[in-house]
Coordinates of all heavy atoms in Angstrom, one line a residue:
M1 N 118.3 -11.1 157.9 CA 118.7 -11.6 156.7 C 119.5 -10.7 155.9 O 120.6 -11.0 155.4 CB 117.4 -12.2 155.9 CG 117.9 -13.0 154.8 SD 116.4 -13.8 154.2 CE 117.0 -14.9 153.1
L2 N 119.0 -9.5 155.8 CA 119.8 -8.4 155.1 C 121.2 -8.1 155.8 O 122.2 -8.0 155.2 CB 119.1 -7.1 155.0 CG 119.8 -6.0 154.3 CD1 120.1 -6.3 153.0 CD2 118.9 -4.6 154.3
F3 N 121.1 -8.1 157.1 CA 122.3 -8.0 157.9 C 123.3 -9.0 157.7 O 124.6 -8.6 157.4 CB 122.0 -7.9 159.3 CG 123.2 -7.6 160.2 CD1 123.8 -6.4 160.4 CD2 123.8 -8.8 160.9 CE1 124.9 -6.2 161.2 CE2 124.9 -8.7 161.7 CZ 125.5 -7.5 161.8
N4 N 123.0 -10.3 157.5 CA 123.8 -11.3 157.3 C 124.4 -11.3 156.0 O 125.5 -11.5 155.7 CB 123.1 -12.7 157.5 CG 122.7 -13.0 159.0 OD1 123.4 -12.4 159.8 ND2 121.8 -13.9 159.1
H5 N 123.6 -10.9 154.9 CA 124.0 -10.7 153.6 C 125.1 -9.7 153.4 O 126.2 -9.9 152.8 CB 122.8 -10.6 152.6 CG 123.2 -10.5 151.2 ND1 123.4 -11.5 150.4 CD2 123.3 -9.3 150.4 CE1 123.8 -11.1 149.3 NE2 123.7 -9.9 149.2
I6 N 124.8 -8.5 154.1 CA 125.8 -7.4 154.0 C 127.1 -7.8 154.7 O 128.1 -7.4 154.2 CB 125.2 -6.2 154.6 CG1 124.0 -5.7 153.8 CG2 126.2 -5.1 154.7 CD1 124.3 -5.3 152.4
S7 N 126.9 -8.5 155.9 CA 128.1 -8.9 156.7 C 129.1 -9.7 155.8 O 130.3 -9.6 155.8 CB 127.7 -9.6 157.9 OG 127.1 -8.6 158.8
L8 N 128.5 -10.8 155.1 CA 129.2 -11.7 154.3 C 129.8 -10.9 153.1 O 130.9 -11.3 152.7 CB 128.4 -12.8 153.8 CG 127.8 -13.7 154.9 CD1 126.7 -14.7 154.2 CD2 129.0 -14.5 155.5
R9 N 129.2 -9.9 152.5 CA 129.9 -9.2 151.4 C 130.8 -8.2 151.7 O 131.6 -7.7 150.9 CB 128.7 -8.6 150.6 CG 127.7 -9.5 149.9 CD 126.6 -8.7 149.2 NE 127.1 -7.9 148.1 CZ 127.3 -8.2 146.8 NH1 127.0 -9.5 146.5 NH2 127.7 -7.4 146.0
T10 N 130.8 -7.8 153.0 CA 131.7 -6.6 153.4 C 133.1 -6.9 153.0 O 133.7 -8.0 153.3 CB 131.5 -6.4 154.9 OG1 130.3 -6.1 155.2 CG2 132.5 -5.1 155.4
G11 N 133.7 -6.0 152.2 CA 135.1 -6.1 151.8 C 135.4 -7.1 150.7 O 136.5 -7.3 150.3
I12 N 134.3 -7.8 150.3 CA 134.4 -8.8 149.2 C 133.8 -8.4 147.9 O 134.4 -8.4 146.7 CB 133.9 -10.1 149.6 CG1 134.6 -10.7 150.9 CG2 133.9 -11.1 148.5 CD1 133.9 -11.8 151.4
K13 N 132.5 -7.9 148.0 CA 131.8 -7.5 146.8 C 131.3 -6.1 147.1 O 131.0 -5.6 148.1 CB 130.6 -8.5 146.6 CG 131.0 -9.8 146.2 CD 131.3 -9.9 144.8 CE 131.6 -11.4 144.4 NZ 131.9 -11.6 143.0
S14 N 130.9 -5.4 145.9 CA 130.2 -4.1 146.0 C 128.8 -4.2 146.1 O 128.2 -5.2 145.7 CB 130.5 -3.3 144.8 OG 131.9 -3.1 144.5
T15 N 128.2 -3.3 146.8 CA 126.7 -3.5 147.0 C 126.1 -2.1 146.8 O 126.7 -1.0 147.3 CB 126.4 -3.9 148.6 OG1 127.0 -5.1 148.8 CG2 124.9 -4.0 148.7
I16 N 125.0 -1.9 146.1 CA 124.4 -0.7 145.9 C 123.0 -0.8 146.6 O 122.2 -1.7 146.4 CB 124.2 -0.5 144.4 CG1 125.6 -0.3 143.6 CG2 123.2 0.8 144.2 CD1 125.3 -0.2 142.2
I17 N 122.8 0.2 147.3 CA 121.4 0.2 148.1 C 120.9 1.6 147.9 O 121.6 2.7 147.9 CB 121.6 0.0 149.6 CG1 122.2 -1.4 149.8 CG2 120.3 0.3 150.3 CD1 122.3 -1.8 151.2
T18 N 119.6 1.7 147.5 CA 119.0 3.0 147.3 C 117.9 3.1 148.4 O 117.2 2.1 148.7 CB 118.3 3.1 145.9 OG1 117.3 2.1 145.8 CG2 119.3 2.9 144.9
S19 N 117.6 4.3 148.8 CA 116.7 4.5 149.8 C 116.2 6.0 149.7 O 116.9 6.9 149.3 CB 117.1 4.3 151.2 OG 116.2 4.7 152.2
N20 N 114.9 6.2 150.0 CA 114.4 7.5 150.0 C 114.4 8.1 151.5 O 113.8 9.2 151.8 CB 113.0 7.7 149.6 CG 112.0 6.8 150.2 OD1 112.3 5.9 151.0 ND2 110.7 7.1 150.0
K21 N 115.0 7.4 152.4 CA 115.1 7.8 153.8 C 116.6 8.2 154.2 O 117.4 7.4 153.7 CB 114.6 6.8 154.8 CG 113.1 6.4 154.6 CD 112.6 5.9 155.9 CE 111.0 5.7 155.7 NZ 110.4 6.7 156.5
S22 N 116.7 9.1 155.0 CA 118.1 9.4 155.5 C 118.5 8.3 156.5 O 117.7 7.6 157.0 CB 118.1 10.8 156.1 OG 117.4 10.8 157.3
F23 N 119.9 8.2 156.7 CA 120.4 7.2 157.6 C 119.7 7.3 159.1 O 119.4 6.4 159.7 CB 121.8 7.3 157.8 CG 122.7 6.9 156.7 CD1 123.8 7.5 156.3 CD2 122.3 5.8 155.8 CE1 124.5 7.1 155.1 CE2 123.0 5.4 154.7 CZ 124.0 6.0 154.3
E24 N 119.5 8.6 159.4 CA 118.8 8.8 160.7 C 117.5 8.1 160.9 O 117.0 8.0 162.1 CB 118.7 10.4 160.9 CG 120.0 11.1 161.1 CD 120.6 11.5 159.8 OE1 119.9 11.5 158.8 OE2 121.8 11.7 159.7
K25 N 116.7 7.9 159.8 CA 115.4 7.2 159.8 C 115.5 5.7 159.5 O 114.3 5.2 159.5 CB 114.4 8.0 158.9 CG 114.3 9.4 159.3 CD 113.3 10.2 158.5 CE 113.0 11.5 158.9 NZ 112.0 12.2 158.3
W26 N 116.6 5.2 159.3 CA 116.6 3.8 159.0 C 116.1 2.9 160.1 O 115.7 1.7 159.7 CB 118.0 3.4 158.5 CG 118.3 3.6 157.0 CD1 117.8 4.6 156.2 CD2 119.2 2.9 156.2 NE1 118.3 4.6 155.0 CE2 119.2 3.5 154.9 CE3 119.9 1.7 156.3 CZ2 119.8 3.0 153.9 CZ3 120.7 1.3 155.3 CH2 120.5 1.9 154.0
H27 N 116.2 3.3 161.3 CA 115.7 2.5 162.4 C 114.2 2.1 162.1 O 113.7 1.1 162.5 CB 116.0 3.0 163.7 CG 115.2 4.2 164.0 ND1 115.6 5.5 163.4 CD2 114.1 4.4 164.6 CE1 114.8 6.4 163.9 NE2 113.8 5.8 164.6
E28 N 113.5 3.1 161.5 CA 112.1 2.9 161.2 C 111.8 1.6 160.2 O 110.9 1.0 160.4 CB 111.4 4.2 160.6 CG 111.5 5.4 161.5 CD 111.1 6.7 160.8 OE1 110.7 6.6 159.7 OE2 111.2 7.7 161.5
I29 N 112.8 1.5 159.3 CA 112.7 0.5 158.3 C 112.8 -0.9 159.0 O 112.2 -1.9 158.7 CB 113.8 0.6 157.3 CG1 113.4 2.0 156.4 CG2 113.7 -0.6 156.3 CD1 114.6 2.4 155.5
F30 N 113.7 -0.9 160.0 CA 114.1 -2.2 160.6 C 113.4 -2.4 162.0 O 114.1 -3.0 162.8 CB 115.6 -2.3 160.8 CG 116.4 -2.3 159.4 CD1 117.0 -1.1 159.0 CD2 116.3 -3.3 158.5 CE1 117.7 -1.1 157.8 CE2 116.9 -3.3 157.4 CZ 117.5 -2.2 157.0
G31 N 112.2 -1.9 162.0 CA 111.4 -2.3 163.2 C 111.9 -1.6 164.5 O 111.8 -2.2 165.5
M32 N 112.4 -0.4 164.4 CA 113.0 0.3 165.5 C 114.1 -0.4 166.2 O 114.5 -0.1 167.5 CB 111.7 0.7 166.5 CG 110.5 1.3 165.8 SD 111.1 2.9 165.1 CE 110.2 4.1 166.0
D33 N 114.6 -1.3 165.7 CA 115.8 -2.0 166.3 C 117.1 -1.1 166.0 O 117.8 -1.3 164.9 CB 116.0 -3.4 165.7 CG 117.1 -4.1 166.4 OD1 118.0 -3.6 167.2 OD2 117.1 -5.5 166.2
T34 N 117.4 -0.3 167.0 CA 118.5 0.7 166.7 C 120.0 0.0 166.8 O 120.9 0.5 166.0 CB 118.4 1.8 167.7 OG1 118.5 1.3 169.1 CG2 117.3 2.7 167.6
V35 N 120.0 -1.0 167.4 CA 121.3 -1.8 167.5 C 121.6 -2.4 166.1 O 122.8 -2.3 165.6 CB 121.3 -2.8 168.6 CG1 122.6 -3.6 168.6 CG2 121.2 -2.0 169.9
L36 N 120.6 -3.1 165.6 CA 120.8 -3.8 164.3 C 121.1 -2.7 163.2 O 121.9 -2.9 162.4 CB 119.5 -4.6 164.0 CG 119.6 -5.2 162.6 CD1 120.7 -6.3 162.5 CD2 118.2 -5.8 162.4
T37 N 120.3 -1.7 163.3 CA 120.5 -0.7 162.3 C 121.9 0.0 162.4 O 122.5 0.1 161.3 CB 119.5 0.5 162.5 OG1 118.1 -0.2 162.5 CG2 119.4 1.6 161.4
A38 N 122.3 0.3 163.6 CA 123.7 0.8 163.7 C 124.7 -0.1 163.2 O 125.6 0.2 162.5 CB 123.9 1.2 165.2
A39 N 124.7 -1.4 163.4 CA 125.5 -2.4 163.0 C 125.5 -2.5 161.5 O 126.5 -2.6 160.8 CB 125.3 -3.7 163.6
L40 N 124.3 -2.4 160.8 CA 124.2 -2.5 159.4 C 124.9 -1.3 158.8 O 125.6 -1.4 157.8 CB 122.7 -2.6 159.1 CG 122.4 -2.8 157.6 CD1 123.1 -3.9 156.9 CD2 120.9 -2.7 157.3
L41 N 124.5 -0.2 159.3 CA 125.0 1.0 158.7 C 126.6 1.2 158.9 O 127.3 1.7 158.0 CB 124.4 2.3 159.3 CG 123.0 2.6 159.0 CD1 122.4 3.7 159.8 CD2 122.9 3.0 157.5
D42 N 127.1 0.7 159.9 CA 128.5 0.5 160.1 C 129.2 -0.2 159.1 O 130.2 0.2 158.5 CB 128.9 -0.1 161.6 CG 130.3 -0.1 161.8 OD1 131.0 0.8 161.8 OD2 130.9 -1.2 161.9
R43 N 128.6 -1.4 158.7 CA 129.2 -2.2 157.6 C 129.0 -1.5 156.2 O 129.9 -1.6 155.4 CB 128.5 -3.5 157.6 CG 129.1 -4.4 158.8 CD 128.2 -5.6 159.2 NE 128.8 -6.4 160.2 CZ 128.8 -6.1 161.4 NH1 128.3 -4.9 161.9 NH2 129.3 -6.9 162.3
L44 N 127.8 -0.8 156.1 CA 127.6 -0.3 154.7 C 128.5 1.0 154.5 O 128.8 1.2 153.4 CB 126.1 0.1 154.5 CG 125.1 -1.0 154.4 CD1 123.7 -0.4 154.5 CD2 125.4 -1.7 153.1
T45 N 128.7 1.8 155.5 CA 129.4 3.0 155.4 C 131.0 2.9 155.6 O 131.6 3.9 155.4 CB 128.9 4.1 156.3 OG1 129.0 3.5 157.7 CG2 127.4 4.4 156.0
H46 N 131.4 1.7 155.7 CA 132.9 1.5 155.7 C 133.5 1.5 154.3 O 132.9 0.7 153.6 CB 133.3 0.2 156.5 CG 134.7 0.0 156.5 ND1 135.6 0.8 157.4 CD2 135.6 -0.9 155.9 CE1 136.7 0.2 157.2 NE2 136.8 -0.8 156.4
K47 N 134.2 2.4 154.0 CA 134.8 2.5 152.5 C 133.6 2.6 151.6 O 133.5 1.8 150.6 CB 135.7 1.3 152.2 CG 136.9 1.2 153.1 CD 137.7 0.0 152.6 CE 139.0 -0.1 153.4 NZ 139.9 -1.2 153.1
F48 N 132.8 3.7 151.7 CA 131.7 3.8 150.8 C 131.6 5.0 150.0 O 132.4 6.0 150.4 CB 130.4 3.6 151.7 CG 130.0 4.8 152.3 CD1 128.8 5.5 152.1 CD2 130.7 5.4 153.4 CE1 128.4 6.6 152.8 CE2 130.3 6.5 154.1 CZ 129.2 7.1 153.8
F49 N 130.9 5.0 149.0 CA 130.6 6.2 148.2 C 129.1 6.6 148.5 O 128.3 5.6 148.2 CB 130.9 6.1 146.8 CG 132.4 5.8 146.5 CD1 132.8 4.6 146.3 CD2 133.1 6.9 146.4 CE1 134.1 4.4 146.0 CE2 134.5 6.7 146.1 CZ 134.9 5.5 145.9
L50 N 128.8 7.8 148.7 CA 127.4 8.2 149.0 C 127.1 9.1 147.8 O 127.7 10.1 147.6 CB 127.2 8.9 150.3 CG 125.8 9.4 150.6 CD1 124.8 8.3 150.7 CD2 125.9 10.3 151.9
V51 N 126.0 8.8 147.1 CA 125.4 9.7 146.1 C 124.2 10.2 146.6 O 123.2 9.4 146.6 CB 125.3 8.9 144.7 CG1 124.8 9.8 143.7 CG2 126.7 8.4 144.3
N52 N 124.1 11.5 147.0 CA 122.8 12.1 147.4 C 122.2 12.7 146.3 O 122.7 13.8 145.8 CB 123.2 13.0 148.5 CG 121.9 13.4 149.3 OD1 120.8 12.9 149.0 ND2 122.2 14.2 150.3
R53 N 121.1 12.3 145.8 CA 120.3 13.0 144.8 C 119.1 13.7 145.3 O 118.2 13.1 146.0 CB 119.9 11.8 143.8 CG 119.3 12.5 142.6 CD 118.5 11.3 141.8 NE 117.5 12.0 141.0 CZ 116.3 12.5 141.3 NH1 116.0 12.5 142.5 NH2 115.5 13.0 140.4
N54 N 119.1 15.0 145.1 CA 117.9 15.7 145.5 C 117.3 16.3 144.2 O 118.1 16.9 143.4 CB 118.3 16.8 146.5 CG 118.7 16.4 147.8 OD1 118.1 15.5 148.3 ND2 119.8 16.8 148.4
G55 N 116.1 16.3 144.0 CA 115.4 16.9 142.9 C 114.1 16.3 142.8 O 113.6 15.6 143.7
K56 N 113.5 16.6 141.7 CA 112.1 16.2 141.4 C 112.1 14.8 140.9 O 113.0 14.2 140.3 CB 111.5 17.1 140.3 CG 111.4 18.5 140.7 CD 110.5 19.3 139.8 CE 110.3 20.8 140.3 NZ 109.3 21.5 139.8
S57 N 111.1 14.1 141.3 CA 110.9 12.7 140.9 C 110.7 12.5 139.4 O 110.0 13.1 138.8 CB 109.6 12.1 141.6 OG 109.3 10.8 141.2
Y58 N 111.5 11.6 138.9 CA 111.4 11.1 137.4 C 110.0 10.5 137.2 O 109.4 10.7 136.2 CB 112.4 10.2 137.1 CG 113.9 10.8 136.9 CD1 114.8 10.4 137.8 CD2 114.0 11.9 135.9 CE1 116.1 11.0 137.6 CE2 115.3 12.4 135.9 CZ 116.4 12.0 136.8 OH 117.5 12.6 136.5
R59 N 109.4 9.7 138.2 CA 108.2 9.1 138.0 C 107.0 10.2 138.0 O 106.1 10.0 137.2 CB 107.9 8.1 139.1 CG 108.8 6.9 139.1 CD 108.4 5.9 140.2 NE 109.5 5.2 140.4 CZ 110.3 5.1 141.5 NH1 110.0 6.0 142.5 NH2 111.4 4.4 141.7
M60 N 107.2 11.1 138.9 CA 106.1 12.2 138.8 C 106.2 13.1 137.6 O 105.2 13.3 137.0 CB 106.4 13.1 140.0 CG 105.4 14.3 140.1 SD 103.6 13.6 140.5 CE 103.9 13.1 142.2
K61 N 107.4 13.2 137.0 CA 107.5 14.0 135.8 C 106.9 13.3 134.6 O 106.2 13.7 133.7 CB 109.1 14.2 135.5 CG 109.2 15.0 134.1 CD 110.8 15.1 133.9 CE 111.1 15.8 132.5 NZ 112.5 15.9 132.4
E62 N 107.2 11.9 134.7 CA 106.6 11.0 133.6 C 105.1 10.9 133.6 O 104.3 10.9 132.7 CB 107.1 9.6 133.8 CG 106.7 8.7 132.6 CD 107.4 7.2 132.7 OE1 108.6 7.2 132.4 OE2 106.7 6.4 133.1
A63 N 104.6 10.8 134.9 CA 103.1 10.8 135.1 C 102.4 12.0 134.7 O 101.3 12.1 134.1 CB 102.8 10.5 136.6
K64 N 103.0 13.2 135.1 CA 102.5 14.5 134.5 C 102.4 14.6 133.0 O 101.5 15.1 132.6 CB 103.3 15.6 135.2 CG 103.1 15.9 136.6 CD 103.9 17.1 137.2 CE 103.6 17.4 138.6 NZ 104.4 18.4 139.1
S65 N 103.5 14.1 132.4 CA 103.5 14.2 131.0 C 102.4 13.3 130.4 O 101.8 13.6 129.3 CB 104.8 13.9 130.4 OG 105.2 12.6 130.5
M66 N 102.0 12.2 131.0 CA 101.2 11.1 130.5 C 99.7 11.7 130.8 O 98.8 11.5 129.9 CB 101.4 9.8 131.0 CG 102.7 9.2 130.4 SD 103.1 7.6 131.2 CE 101.6 6.7 130.9
M67 N 99.4 12.2 131.9 CA 98.1 12.4 132.4 C 97.8 13.9 132.4 O 96.5 14.1 132.5 CB 98.0 11.9 133.8 CG 98.0 10.4 133.9 SD 98.0 9.9 135.6 CE 96.5 10.4 136.3
G68 N 98.6 14.8 132.3 CA 98.4 16.2 132.3 C 98.7 16.6 133.8 O 98.3 15.8 134.7
S69 N 99.2 17.6 134.0 CA 99.8 18.0 135.4 C 98.6 18.2 136.4 O 98.8 18.0 137.6 CB 100.7 19.2 135.4 OG 99.9 20.2 134.8
K70 N 97.4 18.7 135.9 CA 96.3 19.0 136.9 C 95.8 17.7 137.5 O 95.6 17.7 138.7 CB 95.2 19.8 136.1 CG 95.6 21.1 135.8 CD 94.3 21.8 135.1 CE 94.8 23.3 134.7 NZ 93.7 24.0 133.9
N71 N 95.7 16.6 136.8 CA 95.1 15.4 137.2 C 96.2 14.8 138.2 O 95.7 14.2 139.2 CB 94.8 14.4 136.1 CG 93.6 14.9 135.2 OD1 92.8 15.6 135.8 ND2 93.6 14.5 134.1
V72 N 97.4 14.8 137.9 CA 98.4 14.2 138.7 C 98.6 14.9 140.2 O 98.6 14.4 141.2 CB 99.8 14.3 138.0 CG1 100.9 13.7 139.0 CG2 99.7 13.3 136.8
N73 N 98.5 16.3 140.1 CA 98.6 17.0 141.4 C 97.4 16.8 142.2 O 97.5 16.7 143.4 CB 98.7 18.5 141.0 CG 100.0 19.0 140.4 OD1 101.0 18.3 140.6 ND2 100.0 20.0 139.7
K74 N 96.2 16.6 141.6 CA 95.0 16.3 142.4 C 95.2 14.9 143.0 O 94.9 14.7 144.2 CB 93.7 16.3 141.4 CG 92.4 16.1 142.2 CD 91.3 16.0 141.3 CE 90.8 17.5 140.9 NZ 89.6 17.4 140.1
A75 N 95.7 13.9 142.2 CA 95.9 12.6 142.8 C 96.9 12.6 144.0 O 96.8 11.8 144.9 CB 96.4 11.7 141.6
V76 N 97.9 13.4 143.8 CA 98.9 13.5 144.9 C 98.4 14.0 146.1 O 98.5 13.5 147.1 CB 100.2 14.3 144.4 CG1 101.0 14.5 145.5 CG2 100.9 13.5 143.3
K77 N 97.5 15.2 146.0 CA 96.9 15.7 147.2 C 95.9 14.7 147.8 O 95.9 14.6 149.1 CB 96.1 16.9 146.8 CG 97.0 18.1 146.5 CD 96.2 19.3 146.1 CE 97.1 20.5 145.7 NZ 96.4 21.7 145.2
I78 N 95.2 13.9 147.0 CA 94.2 12.9 147.6 C 95.0 11.9 148.3 O 94.7 11.5 149.4 CB 93.4 12.3 146.5 CG1 92.4 13.4 146.0 CG2 92.6 11.1 147.0 CD1 91.6 12.9 144.7
A79 N 96.1 11.4 147.7 CA 96.9 10.3 148.4 C 97.5 10.8 149.6 O 97.7 10.1 150.6 CB 98.0 9.8 147.4
A80 N 98.0 12.1 149.6 CA 98.6 12.6 150.8 C 97.5 12.7 152.1 O 98.0 12.6 153.2 CB 99.2 14.0 150.6
N81 N 96.3 12.9 151.8 CA 95.3 13.0 152.7 C 94.8 11.7 153.3 O 94.0 11.6 154.2 CB 94.1 13.9 152.4 CG 94.6 15.3 152.0 OD1 95.5 15.8 152.8 ND2 93.9 16.0 151.1
T82 N 95.1 10.5 152.6 CA 94.5 9.3 153.1 C 95.4 8.7 154.1 O 96.6 9.0 154.3 CB 94.4 8.4 151.9 OG1 95.6 8.2 151.2 CG2 93.2 8.9 151.0

């Protein structure tokens, strides 16, 4: 469904997509279908602008300020181990 939507918009409308995964890992999102992923990326990356943002999470910063950094760090460690 996403592929059809992107195909119809190609060259007509702008599309913004955000992801925390690099293009090399997008096949994981689409059920390991590398052909579909390659076709989708082909359409998305034709005449595109890539904004690569690296840095600390705004959500984590907000959570730390609300809860205190010690509690948030502990919660992150617990979540990573589950």
Side-chain angles (χ1 to χ4, degrees):
M1 189 167 190
L2 177 63
F3 177 79
N4 290 337
H5 184 73
I6 297 298
S7 293
L8 292 172
R9 292 179 63 90
T10 300
I12 300 170
K13 296 278 185 175
S14 298
T15 304
I16 297 173
I17 296 181
T18 62
S19 175
N20 61 346
K21 294 202 178 258
S22 63
F23 289 145
E24 293 82 23
K25 294 185 179 184
W26 274 33
H27 68 280
E28 296 170 4
I29 298 169
F30 298 108
M32 304 305 242
D33 189 340
T34 56
V35 174
L36 175 67
T37 304
L40 179 63
L41 287 173
D42 180 60
R43 283 158 178 79
L44 286 174
T45 58
H46 179 73
K47 297 183 180 179
F48 79 117
F49 294 98
L50 176 65
V51 178
N52 192 4
R53 185 198 160 284
N54 291 318
K56 297 191 178 201
S57 168
Y58 288 116
R59 290 185 205 108
M60 185 63 73
K61 180 181 175 183
E62 185 177 287
K64 283 181 180 181
S65 68
M66 289 175 59
M67 297 173 54
S69 61
K70 291 181 182 178
N71 292 335
V72 173
N73 289 334
K74 186 184 279 187
V76 169
K77 288 179 184 176
I78 291 169
N81 292 328
T82 58

